[in-house]
Amino acid sequence: MRLIDKKLFKFILVGVINTLFGCGLMFLLYNCIGASYWISSACNYIVGGIISFFLNKYFTFQNKQRSFKQVLIFILNLATCYFIAYFIAKKAIYFLLKFQAERIQDNAALLMGMFLYTALNYIGQRLFVFDNCE
């Protein structure tokens, strides 16, 4: 199985749509509403997760399976990718930018977390969630 093919580009397109909604919400909540790092980033992935499931299932991976198990695996994949990506991002950025203000550190960690999450999530969806569509 090749991981770099037209499905990757469709996944990226879906990611752009998710980013417009979820990322905008995340930075709005953190910077304008004053929500915490974890609440802001979690809201991004709740909104993005819902959009992602339907667009990736039917558009990217063209998966016709109807299964509650698939939904559970999708949710588990999102949660695992989220916690790994944002934990690593926060630790790495706080180490790299230890002399910067917390607001700068958190915004940089949110941005880095997005990239880590995207890579982990693509692999998880491709290999575990929608794997029967080859």
Side-chain angles (χ1 to χ4, degrees):
M1 171 193 292
R2 292 183 358 216
L3 289 177
I4 300 174
D5 59 10
K6 71 178 183 176
K7 290 178 184 178
L8 173 61
F9 298 104
K10 287 182 173 184
F11 185 86
I12 291 170
L13 179 60
V14 169
V16 169
I17 294 167
N18 282 343
T19 300
L20 291 174
F21 292 98
C23 182
L25 176 64
M26 176 175 69
F27 284 110
L28 176 75
L29 288 172
Y30 182 78
N31 291 299
C32 299
I33 306 297
S36 75
Y37 174 87
W38 291 108
I39 295 293
S40 300
S41 60
C43 286
N44 178 3
Y45 291 99
I46 291 168
V47 169
I50 293 167
I51 294 168
S52 177
F53 180 79
F54 290 104
L55 289 179
N56 281 322
K57 179 176 178 63
Y58 296 110
F59 173 68
T60 304
F61 300 110
Q62 299 176 355
N63 182 279
K64 306 297 184 217
Q65 179 183 359
R66 302 191 110 197
S67 162
F68 186 68
K69 179 181 175 186
Q70 186 179 54
V71 173
L72 290 177
I73 293 170
F74 181 84
I75 292 168
L76 180 62
N77 177 65
L78 289 186
T80 302
C81 294
Y82 166 75
F83 284 114
I84 291 170
Y86 280 87
F87 178 79
I88 290 171
K90 189 157 187 162
K91 293 292 185 185
I93 292 297
Y94 270 57
F95 175 77
L96 294 171
L97 301 179
K98 59 185 159 199
F99 299 113
Q100 298 296 321
E102 184 178 12
R103 191 169 214 62
I104 291 171
Q105 291 173 327
D106 281 350
N107 276 287
L110 289 168
L111 189 61
M112 181 183 180
M114 285 173 36
F115 289 106
L116 289 173
Y117 171 84
T118 299
L120 294 171
N121 186 36
Y122 173 69
I123 293 167
Q125 285 190 42
R126 177 100 190 225
L127 299 179
F128 303 110
V129 180
F130 302 118
D131 66 335
N132 68 338
C133 56
E134 294 298 325

